[in-house]
């Protein structure tokens, strides 16, 4: 039986406010995270993802407070990322009400942290966030797929092949992969379908597609390419209140089961 597709709004949180930019740059204010979480809960979102986009030490307590206030009032699953470095941060996020933790930079720096977290809490609590950008394979010797892993909110290249990294993380036991296209982020031109297909061919764990959604019609092709869940920010933050319903209708009309 096919698994129902999940529709997930993403709240990029900076100093307690939701922000959104294009290609991870030019951030503008999009509102209060708890108020937006309420809005999306009422609108039929299946999950919420919070990402602390700066994850500086000064912002971490703010983020924990946002997580706590949201979890007290909103009852759909909540994934939180940004600044997660190991078991201690995951433990704290779970105690403050998160259902899952998302990790990126720390896992790239030390892949063993995936094993440690999943051994401690189980695979289901850990999401690997892969912020990937296109590179010329001829110039990027370490990225034969043409997709490179970046860290620090898309600001730093790593020379690591994104497809190989996704496979390694899956082999290490990560529960699902959140695949963010840096090039498509915030453009509203559609998901990077080639990237989704390449990761889907390499892993068999749940795959969340992120980056580039602009209209409801952009979502079914991402699912056809292999996504189990679809995530967006700009079109939900700045669109009409029924945008989640519109997206679910588009997915349903394309022949996919949706929650």
């Amino acid at each position: 039986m096919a698994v129902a597709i999940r529709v997930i709004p993403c709240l990029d949180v900076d100093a307690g406010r939701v922000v959104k930019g294009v290609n991870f740059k030019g951030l503008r204010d999009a509102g209060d995270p708890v108020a937006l979480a309420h809005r999306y809960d009422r609108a039929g979102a299946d999950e919420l993802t919070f990402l602390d986009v700066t994850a500086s030490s000064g912002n971490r307590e703010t983020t924990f407070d946002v997580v706590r206030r949201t979890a007290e009032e909103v009852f759909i699953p909540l994934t939180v990322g940004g600044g997660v470095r190991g078991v201690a941060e995951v433990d704290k996020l779970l105690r403050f009400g998160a259902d899952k933790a998302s990790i990126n930079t720390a896992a790239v720096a030390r892949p063993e942290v995936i094993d440690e977290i999943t051994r401690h809490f189980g695979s289901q609590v850990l999401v690997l966030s892969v912020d990937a950008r296109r590179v010329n394979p001829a110039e990027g010797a370490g990225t034969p797929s043409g997709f490179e892993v970046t860290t620090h909110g898309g600001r730093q290249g790593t020379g690591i092949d994104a497809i190989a990294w996704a496979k390694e993380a899956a082999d290490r036991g990560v529960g699902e992969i959140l695949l963010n296209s840096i090039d498509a982020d915030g453009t509203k031109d559609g998901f990077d379908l080639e990237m989704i297909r390449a990761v889907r061919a390499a892993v068999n764990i749940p795959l969340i597609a992120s980056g580039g959604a602009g209209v409801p019609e952009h979502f079914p092709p991402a699912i056809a390419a292999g996504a189990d869940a679809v995530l967006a920010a700009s079109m939900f933050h700045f669109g009409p209140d029924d945008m989640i319903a519109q997206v679910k209708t588009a997915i349903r009309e394309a022949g996919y089961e949706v929650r």
Side-chain angles (χ1 to χ4, degrees):
M1 188 178 77
V3 175
I5 302 299
R6 292 169 286 150
V7 176
I8 307 172
C10 182
L11 286 73
D12 296 319
V13 179
D14 181 15
R17 297 289 292 179
V18 175
V19 295
K20 188 57 197 162
V22 177
N23 307 128
F24 284 37
K25 299 174 185 173
L27 301 180
R28 60 174 169 148
D29 189 270
D32 174 68
V34 181
L36 280 173
H38 263 295
R39 172 183 163 191
Y40 296 141
D41 189 17
R42 290 193 304 270
D46 300 306
E47 297 183 10
L48 289 172
T49 292
F50 276 15
L51 298 177
D52 181 341
V53 294
T54 50
S56 68
S57 57
N59 282 350
R60 293 308 295 160
E61 291 306 319
T62 304
T63 300
F64 287 126
D65 181 59
V66 169
V67 171
R68 178 186 57 76
R69 289 189 291 124
T70 302
E72 284 174 354
E73 301 183 42
V74 176
F75 300 102
I76 54 177
L78 177 61
T79 299
V80 184
V84 173
R85 290 177 287 275
V87 168
E89 288 83 14
V90 175
D91 182 63
K92 188 167 184 180
L93 284 171
L94 296 177
R95 284 190 288 108
F96 272 68
D99 297 278
K100 292 181 272 189
S102 174
I103 194 169
N104 177 1
T105 301
V108 172
R110 196 173 68 85
E112 295 79 16
V113 74
I114 295 173
D115 309 64
E116 293 163 9
I117 292 170
T118 56
R119 193 163 55 237
H120 199 90
F121 300 103
S123 293
Q124 76 283 351
V125 307
L126 190 61
V127 179
L128 180 75
S129 183
V130 179
D131 295 338
R133 67 183 177 191
R134 289 174 174 267
V135 292
N136 184 336
E139 297 172 1
T143 55
S145 73
F147 298 108
E148 179 191 24
V149 174
T150 70
T151 61
H152 299 83
R155 292 185 295 276
Q156 293 187 18
T158 63
I160 297 170
D161 187 273
I163 311 308
W165 172 229
K167 185 176 188 311
E168 178 183 348
D171 290 344
R172 286 183 179 274
V174 74
E176 57 188 334
I177 290 174
L178 169 55
L179 181 65
N180 308 302
S181 168
I182 299 295
D183 304 297
D185 174 72
T187 63
K188 301 185 181 180
D189 292 333
F191 292 93
D192 189 326
L193 304 180
E194 183 185 355
M195 184 188 291
I196 296 168
R197 282 192 289 267
V199 173
R200 171 44 71 217
V203 305
N204 59 11
I205 60 175
L207 176 61
I208 306 166
S210 170
V215 293
E217 291 74 25
H218 284 153
F219 290 83
I223 298 162
D228 301 282
V230 282
L231 179 147
S234 298
M235 64 178 291
F236 293 144
H237 299 342
F238 305 117
D241 286 347
D242 70 341
M243 184 58 80
I244 290 174
Q246 290 186 39
V247 168
K248 290 194 170 189
T249 296
I251 294 170
R252 209 172 279 116
E253 289 180 347
Y256 299 103
E257 184 180 346
V258 67
R259 289 191 183 175

